[in-house]
Amino acid sequence: MWKQLFRYFDWYSRPKSGAELGVWGEQIAVKYLKRQRYRVVESNVRFPFGEIDIVAIDQKTVVFVEVKTRRSPVKFQPWEAVDTAKQRKLIRLGGAYLRREGLLDQRARFDIVSVSWDGKTRKPEIEQLIDAFGEDDVSSPSGFDEI
């Protein structure tokens, strides 16, 4: 019974595969954002050209959150996996979301939540990069206009 109870709380279950680790990291990120008083609107928002991990509201700002989860120790931080190409894609996805929801007049930003877990402890290390990147950080035309 206790094993089932602990599995119910993903915080304590140990992810086995890479895909399971990613899902676990996103669940941890949602819990973390809620504790930071964000209103989580949606997760795993799919478009034909990609997916937004989490859409949340921080006061009056729409926040698109990319979650990166890694097992420790690693030679780089999880957020370093969000390179320029990934940033362009996320900007395009954010624009598509704002357009679809009729929110083009709303302020928006892109955050990255890194979840690192060494597998030995039950508590992951969580780091949030607020306003991690924007249209000015990528050398392409506006992603909001390309959709």
Side-chain angles (χ1 to χ4, degrees):
M1 177 182 144
W2 285 107
K3 199 173 196 178
Q4 290 175 334
L5 182 62
F6 280 117
R7 284 222 175 264
Y8 177 76
F9 295 102
D10 293 308
W11 191 275
Y12 295 101
S13 63
R14 294 178 181 230
K16 294 170 184 62
S17 70
E20 195 174 290
L21 183 68
V23 169
W24 179 83
E26 288 179 14
Q27 292 171 347
I28 295 300
V30 165
K31 291 175 187 177
Y32 169 81
L33 291 167
K34 286 179 178 180
R35 281 195 313 270
Q36 302 303 312
R37 299 189 177 184
Y38 285 64
R39 185 167 57 90
V40 175
V41 178
E42 293 185 69
S43 58
N44 301 315
V45 181
R46 289 183 172 83
F47 286 92
F49 51 91
E51 178 181 288
I52 301 169
D53 290 339
I54 300 170
V55 179
I57 304 294
D58 179 24
Q59 296 179 19
K60 294 182 180 181
T61 302
V62 179
V63 183
F64 300 105
V65 182
E66 177 68 9
V67 180
K68 290 297 178 188
T69 309
R70 297 287 184 269
R71 287 189 170 99
S72 294
V74 293
K75 295 181 181 179
F76 61 92
Q77 293 296 317
W79 54 263
E80 292 178 297
V82 184
D83 60 10
T84 304
K86 181 69 173 180
Q87 291 174 17
R88 281 190 198 113
K89 185 175 186 177
L90 291 169
I91 289 169
R92 186 172 179 227
L93 286 163
Y97 182 87
L98 293 173
R99 182 169 283 117
R100 183 184 80 186
E101 300 299 321
L103 299 172
L104 285 172
D105 59 337
Q106 295 293 312
R107 185 174 186 282
R109 73 170 196 248
F110 298 88
D111 291 5
I112 302 172
V113 172
S114 295
V115 180
S116 299
W117 181 63
D118 66 9
K120 296 175 186 172
T121 62
R122 292 184 176 209
K123 189 173 181 181
E125 184 178 313
I126 303 166
E127 181 180 5
Q128 181 181 8
L129 298 176
I130 296 172
D131 207 5
F133 60 90
E135 291 182 78
D136 296 337
D137 297 322
V138 292
S139 57
S140 72
S142 169
F144 293 156
D145 298 331
E146 293 177 8
I147 301 163

